[in-house]
């Protein structure tokens, strides 16, 4: 059974930075595409970015381009999301998820973490 656990969320001032981590428990981390999603209060969950085993990624969501960076360490079974120049509209619960294919469609992601809260104050 695959389990994902996010960490690194918290409260930060606008313009600040956070680094989220997602730990993957399972046999075949390198075979999965790892994605980040987020859900703001009162809104549906949205795709942020995803990465394959080599570290290559999808395009970033337009709302985060130039500010967020995904990376992964296959030796540690961990994927990261570095978030810089944070804005109040980035406030959301952030989720990591695992898929067998490169996609932005959340319906293709097989395993999900419980999420970590990011709050950005103005």
């Amino acid at each position: 059974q695959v389990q994902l656990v996010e960490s690194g969320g918290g409260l930060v001032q606008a313009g600040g930075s956070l680094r989220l981590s997602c730990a993957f428990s399972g046999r075949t981390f390198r075979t999965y595409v790892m994605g980040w999603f987020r859900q703001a209060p009162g809104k549906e969950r949205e795709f942020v970015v995803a990465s394959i085993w080599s570290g290559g990624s999808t395009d970033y969501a337009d709302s985060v381009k130039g500010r967020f960076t995904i990376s992964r360490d296959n030796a540690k079974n961990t994927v990261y999301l570095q978030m810089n120049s944070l804005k109040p509209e980035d406030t959301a619960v952030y989720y990591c998820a695992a898929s067998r294919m490169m996609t932005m469609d959340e319906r293709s992601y097989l395993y999900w973490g419980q999420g970590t809260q990011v709050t950005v104050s103005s």
Side-chain angles (χ1 to χ4, degrees):
Q1 185 176 6
V2 172
Q3 292 185 328
L4 306 176
V5 180
E6 303 95 338
S7 62
L11 176 64
V12 65
Q13 296 268 48
S17 298
L18 286 173
R19 187 195 192 205
L20 306 184
S21 298
C22 174
F24 176 105
S25 298
R27 287 183 172 274
T28 55
F29 176 72
R30 70 183 185 277
T31 70
Y32 285 94
V33 173
M34 299 297 298
W36 286 99
F37 295 78
R38 67 184 184 181
Q39 187 166 25
K43 297 184 178 180
E44 295 184 350
R45 188 155 52 199
E46 68 172 328
F47 173 82
V48 177
V49 68
S51 179
I52 61 174
W53 70 270
S54 64
S57 69
T58 65
D59 285 342
Y60 291 78
D62 288 342
S63 58
V64 307
K65 274 184 180 175
R67 300 188 297 119
F68 290 12
T69 304
I70 192 171
S71 62
R72 62 192 290 165
D73 187 337
N74 293 328
K76 296 181 178 179
N77 284 10
T78 302
V79 64
Y80 306 95
L81 186 68
Q82 179 67 46
M83 306 185 297
N84 298 326
S85 301
L86 283 163
K87 305 174 181 180
E89 50 263 46
D90 295 317
T91 295
V93 177
Y94 284 72
Y95 300 89
C96 69
S99 173
R100 290 293 192 182
M101 62 185 294
M102 182 74 89
T103 179
M104 302 177 186
D105 185 355
E106 68 177 67
R107 294 173 295 180
S108 294
Y109 284 79
L110 304 176
Y111 305 103
W112 292 80
Q114 292 299 305
T116 185
Q117 176 70 48
V118 172
T119 302
V120 184
S121 62
S122 60

